[in-house]
Amino acid sequence: QVQLVESGGGLVQPGESLRLSCAVFGFTLADTDVYIGWFRQAPGKERGGISCLKPSLGYSWFPDSVRDRFTTSRGDTSNTVYLTMTDLRPEDTGLYYCAAGSRDGHGRWCLESTSYAYWGHGTQVTVSS
């Protein structure tokens, strides 16, 4: 059974950093077909992809809006994927979800929500002064 559990959200001020964690159960991150995405849903807006990672290869993708500020990585010893966010802005506020899928190959398609079969319940990030 696949389960994803996000943690690490909170209230931060503009310019601060935050690291979110996604604990993955039921998928092995070393599997070459597995990929993990992070999505954000702001109030009144659709859920949008903000990062994705193929952990076995270390390939990652980001939209232009966060490319220079966010990174994603796999934990060294745990079945966990991290999203490290720096220089946070009020427009980064939202509910952050991680998602898991399995597919051969790699590409920017992993930023599309339709690429994922499994989702966590989300963790709230609020950026406000």
Side-chain angles (χ1 to χ4, degrees):
Q1 182 177 358
V2 178
Q3 185 179 9
L4 304 169
V5 181
E6 303 96 335
S7 62
L11 172 64
V12 296
Q13 294 188 347
E16 292 186 338
S17 300
L18 204 59
R19 188 178 79 164
L20 306 183
S21 301
C22 175
V24 180
F25 304 92
F27 268 131
T28 300
L29 297 184
D31 186 328
T32 56
D33 288 342
V34 172
Y35 53 96
I36 304 295
W38 283 95
F39 290 78
R40 176 173 69 204
Q41 187 163 22
K45 295 187 178 180
E46 293 187 356
R47 190 179 302 186
I50 55 171
S51 78
C52 55
L53 173 71
K54 183 148 257 192
S56 61
L57 301 176
Y59 293 161
S60 59
W61 293 263
F62 303 86
D64 291 343
S65 60
V66 305
R67 184 187 311 280
D68 296 331
R69 301 183 293 124
F70 291 10
T71 59
T72 186
S73 60
R74 170 189 171 188
D76 289 338
T77 59
S78 62
N79 217 45
T80 300
V81 172
Y82 301 101
L83 177 69
T84 301
M85 306 181 291
T86 65
D87 189 24
L88 283 162
R89 304 167 183 173
E91 55 264 38
D92 294 318
T93 293
L95 191 58
Y96 283 68
Y97 299 88
C98 65
S102 179
R103 174 176 165 177
D104 190 20
H106 53 84
R108 292 187 64 85
W109 46 258
C110 66
L111 289 173
E112 301 295 327
S113 61
T114 53
S115 298
Y116 295 87
Y118 304 98
W119 292 82
H121 293 293
T123 185
Q124 177 68 35
V125 174
T126 303
V127 185
S128 175
S129 56

